[in-house]
mmCIF file of all heavy atoms in Angstrom:
data_model
loop_
_atom_site.group_PDB
_atom_site.id
_atom_site.type_symbol
_atom_site.label_atom_id
_atom_site.label_comp_id
_atom_site.label_asym_id
_atom_site.label_seq_id
_atom_site.Cartn_x
_atom_site.Cartn_y
_atom_site.Cartn_z
ATOM 1 N N ASP B 120 112.961 157.436 -22.533
ATOM 2 C CA ASP B 120 111.958 156.699 -23.296
ATOM 3 C C ASP B 120 111.061 155.872 -22.401
ATOM 4 O O ASP B 120 111.416 155.518 -21.288
ATOM 5 C CB ASP B 120 112.629 155.823 -24.368
ATOM 6 C CG ASP B 120 113.492 154.712 -23.816
ATOM 7 O OD1 ASP B 120 112.942 153.645 -23.486
ATOM 8 O OD2 ASP B 120 114.716 154.923 -23.686
ATOM 9 N N ASN B 121 109.873 155.662 -22.908
ATOM 10 C CA ASN B 121 108.917 154.796 -22.247
ATOM 11 C C ASN B 121 108.067 154.086 -23.285
ATOM 12 O O ASN B 121 108.398 154.134 -24.477
ATOM 13 C CB ASN B 121 108.043 155.593 -21.219
ATOM 14 C CG ASN B 121 107.058 156.540 -21.874
ATOM 15 O OD1 ASN B 121 106.943 156.619 -23.095
ATOM 16 N ND2 ASN B 121 106.347 157.290 -21.063
ATOM 17 N N ALA B 122 106.992 153.420 -22.857
ATOM 18 C CA ALA B 122 106.200 152.628 -23.792
ATOM 19 C C ALA B 122 105.513 153.469 -24.854
ATOM 20 O O ALA B 122 105.150 152.959 -25.919
ATOM 21 C CB ALA B 122 105.140 151.847 -23.019
ATOM 22 N N THR B 123 105.345 154.767 -24.624
ATOM 23 C CA THR B 123 104.621 155.581 -25.582
ATOM 24 C C THR B 123 105.509 156.441 -26.465
ATOM 25 O O THR B 123 105.025 157.041 -27.423
ATOM 26 C CB THR B 123 103.624 156.525 -24.859
ATOM 27 O OG1 THR B 123 104.367 157.426 -24.021
ATOM 28 C CG2 THR B 123 102.635 155.743 -24.042
ATOM 29 N N GLY B 124 106.802 156.517 -26.194
ATOM 30 C CA GLY B 124 107.670 157.332 -27.035
ATOM 31 C C GLY B 124 109.028 157.612 -26.435
ATOM 32 O O GLY B 124 109.433 156.957 -25.484
ATOM 33 N N PHE B 125 109.692 158.628 -26.992
ATOM 34 C CA PHE B 125 111.055 158.963 -26.547
ATOM 35 C C PHE B 125 111.300 160.482 -26.698
ATOM 36 O O PHE B 125 110.579 161.174 -27.387
ATOM 37 C CB PHE B 125 112.086 158.205 -27.392
ATOM 38 C CG PHE B 125 112.247 158.807 -28.752
ATOM 39 C CD1 PHE B 125 113.298 159.667 -29.035
ATOM 40 C CD2 PHE B 125 111.351 158.514 -29.794
ATOM 41 C CE1 PHE B 125 113.455 160.226 -30.283
ATOM 42 C CE2 PHE B 125 111.491 159.065 -31.022
ATOM 43 C CZ PHE B 125 112.542 159.941 -31.313
ATOM 44 N N ALA B 126 112.338 160.914 -26.031
ATOM 45 C CA ALA B 126 112.872 162.273 -26.218
ATOM 46 C C ALA B 126 114.380 162.125 -26.054
ATOM 47 O O ALA B 126 114.886 161.302 -25.299
ATOM 48 C CB ALA B 126 112.325 163.247 -25.198
ATOM 49 N N GLU B 127 115.122 162.943 -26.816
ATOM 50 C CA GLU B 127 116.571 162.860 -26.743
ATOM 51 C C GLU B 127 117.156 164.210 -27.084
ATOM 52 O O GLU B 127 116.523 165.052 -27.732
ATOM 53 C CB GLU B 127 117.134 161.788 -27.661
ATOM 54 C CG GLU B 127 116.835 162.015 -29.115
ATOM 55 C CD GLU B 127 117.304 160.861 -30.012
ATOM 56 O OE1 GLU B 127 117.887 159.899 -29.492
ATOM 57 O OE2 GLU B 127 117.066 160.933 -31.232
ATOM 58 N N GLY B 128 118.387 164.415 -26.620
ATOM 59 C CA GLY B 128 119.107 165.649 -26.915
ATOM 60 C C GLY B 128 120.560 165.503 -26.620
ATOM 61 O O GLY B 128 120.974 164.618 -25.832
ATOM 62 N N ASP B 129 121.369 166.344 -27.215
ATOM 63 C CA ASP B 129 122.805 166.341 -27.065
ATOM 64 C C ASP B 129 123.282 167.639 -26.418
ATOM 65 O O ASP B 129 122.648 168.674 -26.577
ATOM 66 C CB ASP B 129 123.496 166.182 -28.411
ATOM 67 C CG ASP B 129 123.139 164.893 -29.094
ATOM 68 O OD1 ASP B 129 123.155 163.840 -28.436
ATOM 69 O OD2 ASP B 129 122.812 164.919 -30.302
ATOM 70 N N PHE B 130 124.405 167.553 -25.730
ATOM 71 C CA PHE B 130 125.031 168.751 -25.180
ATOM 72 C C PHE B 130 126.525 168.535 -25.103
ATOM 73 O O PHE B 130 127.029 167.430 -25.115
ATOM 74 C CB PHE B 130 124.441 169.147 -23.814
ATOM 75 C CG PHE B 130 124.714 168.169 -22.713
ATOM 76 C CD1 PHE B 130 125.771 168.350 -21.834
ATOM 77 C CD2 PHE B 130 123.855 167.091 -22.513
ATOM 78 C CE1 PHE B 130 126.016 167.460 -20.806
ATOM 79 C CE2 PHE B 130 124.093 166.188 -21.485
ATOM 80 C CZ PHE B 130 125.174 166.370 -20.626
ATOM 81 N N GLU B 131 127.264 169.643 -25.017
ATOM 82 C CA GLU B 131 128.720 169.615 -24.952
ATOM 83 C C GLU B 131 129.159 170.151 -23.602
ATOM 84 O O GLU B 131 128.814 171.275 -23.224
ATOM 85 C CB GLU B 131 129.260 170.500 -26.071
ATOM 86 C CG GLU B 131 130.764 170.462 -26.211
ATOM 87 C CD GLU B 131 131.250 169.270 -27.016
ATOM 88 O OE1 GLU B 131 130.462 168.665 -27.761
ATOM 89 O OE2 GLU B 131 132.429 168.926 -26.862
ATOM 90 N N ARG B 132 129.904 169.366 -22.895
ATOM 91 C CA ARG B 132 130.422 169.745 -21.576
ATOM 92 C C ARG B 132 131.844 170.195 -21.735
ATOM 93 O O ARG B 132 132.702 169.457 -22.245
ATOM 94 C CB ARG B 132 130.323 168.551 -20.632
ATOM 95 C CG ARG B 132 130.797 168.860 -19.230
ATOM 96 C CD ARG B 132 130.525 167.667 -18.345
ATOM 97 N NE ARG B 132 130.989 167.910 -17.015
ATOM 98 C CZ ARG B 132 131.824 167.119 -16.346
ATOM 99 N NH1 ARG B 132 132.262 166.000 -16.877
ATOM 100 N NH2 ARG B 132 132.197 167.415 -15.131
ATOM 101 N N ASN B 133 132.143 171.428 -21.308
ATOM 102 C CA ASN B 133 133.510 171.974 -21.413
ATOM 103 C C ASN B 133 134.232 171.937 -20.132
ATOM 104 O O ASN B 133 133.725 172.083 -19.108
ATOM 105 C CB ASN B 133 133.435 173.421 -21.935
ATOM 106 C CG ASN B 133 132.798 173.480 -23.317
ATOM 107 O OD1 ASN B 133 133.117 172.669 -24.182
ATOM 108 N ND2 ASN B 133 131.888 174.415 -23.495
#
Side-chain angles (χ1 to χ4, degrees):
D120 65 86
N121 70 3
T123 62
F125 75 99
E127 62 185 357
D129 298 315
F130 66 96
E131 186 82 20
R132 182 174 178 234
N133 298 316

